[in-house]
Amino acid sequence: MKTTYHYIILAWTLLALVGQETKAQTVSYQSFAHYNRRVAEFAPLRDIDSTTVVMLGNSLTENGGNWAERLNTGLKVVNRGIIGDNTIGMIQRLCQITPYKPRAIFLMAGINDMSNGMPAQQVASRVITLIDSIRLQSPGTQLFVESILPINESNGRWKTLSGRTDDIPWANMLIRAYCESNGIVFIDVFRRMTRGRSNILRGELTSDGLHLNAEGYKIWAFELRRHIKRLEKTR
């Protein structure tokens, strides 16, 4: 399951962790403009502690807005989604999250790696590297890995994801297998957003074939609620 590529990236990540405690909040990695702005916005915040639930991800997470409201919970939930972010960007900014040992992290990652032309196995490998990084840096944090969500290519907007509809469940299968073999909760939101045996995102759940509308977020939040309820019972 762990490819040579996976080990190389993990080794690189481990080296990056040296001195992490003294460098918390410092993200030297520079990416696209929105990523840099969001990271700068997060830097002065002190809203993560051992009681916090962190929503970590890309545009799907960021566009979810107030997740505490979506999840109908009194738990402290913070949104750490960045539009356009991929697994490398998330690894680089874990220093803004894991030193504070949050209670739980809900992870949504992989679709932007896939849009960069990576095969499904490589996408899964990158997500697994991110998973390992989180567990290594904050082993007491409960990690919930969400499946990569389906897409709908019918409107032709997302050219970089052209022809990738059937690659997503393949990547999810590899990520799920890894999670199940390592005692990590995997949440299959993908199948709740498709019909029958189709791998296509249902048209009524999306605004553009990739991002979700209000109905799509309702389904996603519903799938997370049972896990949130367990957290509520044990706080």
Side-chain angles (χ1 to χ4, degrees):
M1 179 63 201
K2 290 189 176 183
T3 64
T4 300
Y5 174 85
H6 176 84
Y7 282 116
I8 291 171
I9 294 296
L10 184 56
W12 170 77
T13 302
L14 293 174
L15 289 173
L17 297 180
V18 175
Q20 180 197 28
E21 291 300 325
T22 61
K23 294 181 179 179
Q25 292 287 318
T26 302
V27 180
S28 58
Y29 179 71
Q30 292 290 295
S31 189
F32 52 95
H34 182 70
Y35 178 96
N36 299 336
R37 281 195 301 271
R38 286 284 280 176
V39 166
E41 289 169 6
F42 297 150
L45 300 181
R46 296 294 182 268
D47 56 352
I48 299 176
D49 58 31
S50 61
T51 69
T52 308
V53 176
V54 177
M55 307 299 292
L56 176 59
N58 45 43
S59 60
L60 295 162
T61 298
E62 181 177 347
N63 291 341
N66 186 335
W67 279 96
E69 184 176 294
R70 286 193 182 281
L71 296 169
N72 189 28
T73 182
L75 296 175
K76 185 168 75 170
V77 184
V78 300
N79 188 329
R80 287 297 185 269
I82 296 182
I83 295 169
D85 201 8
N86 60 21
T87 53
I88 297 300
M90 291 182 209
I91 287 173
Q92 290 287 337
R93 61 188 178 92
L94 285 180
C95 62
Q96 293 186 325
I97 299 170
T98 54
Y100 307 105
K101 312 303 179 190
R103 183 172 182 194
I105 293 175
F106 284 82
L107 176 65
M108 171 61 69
I111 193 63
N112 289 324
D113 297 82
M114 189 164 286
S115 72
N116 288 330
M118 296 177 188
Q121 185 172 359
Q122 189 176 358
V123 171
S125 182
R126 284 198 170 199
V127 173
I128 290 167
T129 297
L130 174 55
I131 290 168
D132 286 348
S133 299
I134 294 169
R135 296 179 78 207
L136 179 67
Q137 295 177 30
S138 189
T141 295
Q142 288 187 256
L143 178 59
F144 300 89
V145 178
E146 300 155 303
S147 61
I148 302 171
L149 300 187
I151 58 174
N152 188 318
E153 299 184 51
S154 63
N155 68 7
R157 177 172 177 180
W158 304 102
K159 304 300 183 185
T160 56
L161 287 169
S162 179
R164 305 308 302 272
T165 294
D166 294 332
D167 291 337
I168 295 172
W170 172 240
N172 280 334
M173 182 186 70
L174 297 173
I175 296 165
R176 180 175 198 150
Y178 182 82
C179 288
E180 290 179 349
S181 66
N182 287 275
I184 303 165
V185 177
F186 179 85
I187 306 174
D188 188 0
V189 188
F190 179 95
R191 281 298 164 204
R192 299 302 182 186
M193 295 192 176
T194 60
R195 277 199 183 90
R197 296 182 178 275
S198 166
N199 293 324
I200 301 171
L201 175 62
R202 286 152 49 191
E204 70 271 20
L205 304 181
T206 181
S207 57
D208 59 7
L210 172 62
H211 299 102
L212 303 177
N213 58 24
E215 289 304 308
Y217 277 107
K218 279 183 184 178
I219 291 175
W220 187 357
F222 179 82
E223 291 303 308
L224 301 190
R225 269 297 296 158
R226 62 191 177 98
H227 302 286
I228 291 293
K229 284 180 180 178
R230 291 193 186 109
L231 291 173
E232 289 171 339
K233 289 179 181 177
T234 58
R235 60 176 168 176

